[in-house]
Amino acid sequence: MKISPLQLARYQYQPKLPGMLRNGISEICVRDGAATASVADQKKIQALFPNTYGKNEITFQKGANTAPAKKQVVGVILSGGQAPGGHNVICGLYDALKATDPENVLYGFKGGPSGLLEDDYVIFDDAYIDQYRNTGGFDIIGSGRTKLETQEQFAVVAEVCKKHGINAVVIIGGDDSNTNAAVLAEYFAANNTGIQVIGCPKTIDGDLKNEDIECSFGFDTATKTYAEIVGNIERDANSAKKYWHFVKVMGRSASHVALETALQTQPNICLIGEEVAAKKMSLAQITDYIADSVAGRAAKGWNFGVAIIPEGIVEFVPEFSVLIAEINELLAGAKADAFNALPTWEEKYAFIQAGLTEASMAVFAILPQSIQQQLFLERDPHGNVQVSLIESEKLFSEMVKKNLADRKAAGTYKGKFSPLHHFLGYEGRCAFPSNFDADYCYSLGYNAFMLIQYGYTGYLSKVSNLKAPAEEWVAGGMPITKMMNIERRHGADKPVIRKALVELDGKPFKFFESVRETWANETCYVYPGAIQYFGPAEVCDRTTITLLLEQGE
Ligand code: FBP
């Protein structure tokens, strides 16, 4: 494999650990914190997790290591979408494990949770690990979206672990995967398997965070990558002065990625799904809001602009989510075959018209035909519309175009509107991790091993005080049950980690709200440029604006 000079240089990078983990394994001890209780539904969660509920928060500190000496055989999986830094979690875990005892073993199960079920693994050694230090991607062992959630699956995992003598499993995943990690930990404890489970918080979406977890890894690098590209687009827009760019950015449902990208680049428009839902904004209102900026800028002679659209936006538009629910119903079971058998779009349209309520048909009718067809083409394995595949950047630009045509007819708009479209998603998920993510991830992995060594289970590896230099970061662990509440999922009450949506009274949104009108009407673009890996700390180690605002700057 040919290696780029940057990759070679990144191999040499030594990720920074929190000060308390820097003195060598033999100099790390535990400070016990308070007993924990779940954020809501305490009785129900306690009843579901009798063996792992209510444990203490813990912090590591400098002091003689009191963990019992024992050979450690650990398994690790990557779960869900890629996020920059995943390799470093595994490197940190491996380094701590081998520094403790070279006889310790780390298994990497391939392709996500299914690797654990199918007993498909590699055993890491130095040569293997060294190829992946400080690199992006999850290709070290691959990832997958199989859910590890049934008792039958847990029994298989227990068997696989028993076969290899594995005494702990590390699950690197998002809110769902870590919810399942907690359930697996409880199963292992209830069945006296002696196998521990530790989670690590991953997802570029930034929606696995709470009062204990300041951010999930990957968010920093992904948003910096998108911000670089949006900044470049803004500079092109401001140079050519003839296009409106509609940029959809990833983030399955929460709008953290869109908001952070906007905070870094100051575009003219950034929609926030959570606000759309809270204010029950209709498609027409959103369209009007964007068209106001287009028309206002055109009046100044500026027929250009940049709008950021979060991937999950349409699900937050109340009338749109009703429409999607009706379409799912309309195509349930065999009805989909009847629909697909219709030879022309006209006949399909008539079928749709006959099946939707009047209100939903009115919403459907104003959509561009390409979006109408997308709603009927793409189904997930459960037969549902895949909302993330809807080209919402095109949806809004088409609707703005129609809106502007009406304004033109009414004599209130005289500009030119030439929209261009972009979707930024996969471009950011496997980027070389920023120094922040390289350091954070390595620390999460190293810390996960310390939790294993001290015998904890059902804990999330926790590294906090992230706004400060790494030296001052605080390493420890938090019981996953502390982050759980009961939610209705697929018709049943389930204990889950609360997904963190953008808080409309939170500091990042409040700041954005206070400046967005100026951004919409003026040209306030900021060009962040590419992620820097070498150079002054204020350039290379800066964290996200979201984190800085949340932590009081
Ligand atoms: P995770 O929550 O699993 O980290 O995935 C995040 C994400 O990148 C979303 O932003 C996006 O909607 C989705 O994964 C795309 O999924 P896929 O990789 O299956 O196309």
Side-chain angles (χ1 to χ4, degrees), residues 78-371:
L78 292 159
S79 181
Q82 281 68 250
H87 288 168
N88 267 26
V89 180
I90 297 179
C91 294
L93 176 63
Y94 176 86
D95 286 353
L97 172 138
K98 289 290 182 186
T100 304
D101 181 350
E103 294 300 307
N104 288 342
V105 184
L106 182 61
Y107 285 77
F109 287 91
K110 293 187 193 168
S114 63
L116 254 180
L117 296 169
E118 290 157 14
D119 195 13
D120 185 11
Y121 64 88
V122 293
I123 295 178
F124 292 117
D125 58 20
D126 289 354
Y128 197 120
I129 285 284
D130 287 348
Q131 300 172 66
Y132 292 95
R133 291 186 187 274
N134 308 302
T135 55
F138 275 7
D139 44 321
I140 186 168
I141 42 173
S143 185
R145 292 197 182 276
T146 302
K147 294 204 183 307
L148 214 50
E149 55 189 352
T150 66
Q151 301 283 307
E152 294 72 28
Q153 288 174 321
F154 295 163
V156 174
V157 175
E159 271 311 303
V160 168
C161 290
K162 200 166 143 200
K163 176 175 156 197
H164 299 294
I166 290 173
N167 61 282
V169 176
V170 175
I171 295 183
I172 303 171
D175 55 334
D176 270 353
S177 306
N178 279 299
T179 290
N180 293 338
V183 184
L184 181 64
E186 178 63 31
Y187 174 93
F188 283 160
N191 290 282
N192 295 316
T193 60
I195 308 166
Q196 301 158 248
V197 183
I198 299 295
C200 288
K202 170 237 73 166
T203 177
I204 63 156
D205 291 2
D207 55 10
L208 172 46
K209 67 174 168 182
N210 47 51
E211 56 186 37
D212 299 306
I213 302 302
E214 293 176 8
C215 71
S216 54
F217 77 76
F219 178 72
D220 185 88
T221 310
T223 53
K224 281 178 180 150
T225 305
Y226 303 146
E228 179 203 348
I229 302 172
V230 171
N232 295 349
I233 289 172
E234 285 177 338
R235 201 147 214 169
D236 196 289
N238 200 16
S239 305
K241 301 199 189 298
K242 60 179 180 179
Y243 295 121
W244 259 87
H245 295 267
F246 285 73
V247 189
K248 180 168 83 168
V249 294
M250 248 187 194
R252 189 189 301 272
S253 54
S255 300
H256 299 291
V257 172
L259 180 56
E260 171 63 23
T261 307
L263 292 171
Q264 289 193 34
T265 58
Q266 306 192 173
N268 306 103
I269 299 287
C270 174
L271 302 178
I272 301 296
E274 292 81 344
E275 182 183 28
V276 166
K279 295 186 175 164
K280 300 196 171 27
M281 290 171 80
S282 65
L283 285 176
Q285 280 172 312
I286 303 170
T287 305
D288 235 8
Y289 167 66
I290 305 174
D292 281 350
S293 169
V294 176
R297 293 175 62 77
K300 295 180 186 171
W302 297 340
N303 289 299
F304 66 94
V306 173
I308 297 181
I309 316 286
E311 182 183 28
I313 189 84
V314 287
E315 269 181 300
F316 285 96
V317 182
E319 61 194 321
F320 210 90
S321 46
V322 173
L323 169 66
I324 288 170
E326 285 188 25
I327 292 177
N328 287 338
E329 194 54 38
L330 192 61
L331 295 190
K335 287 184 272 179
D337 298 335
F339 175 82
N340 290 330
L342 296 170
T344 65
W345 175 243
E346 285 67 32
E347 285 164 271
K348 287 183 170 154
Y349 197 92
F351 176 99
I352 296 163
Q353 203 157 19
L356 293 180
T357 59
E358 210 176 303
S360 285
M361 191 58 210
V363 178
F364 187 75
I366 59 169
L367 301 176
Q369 196 185 81
S370 58
I371 303 285

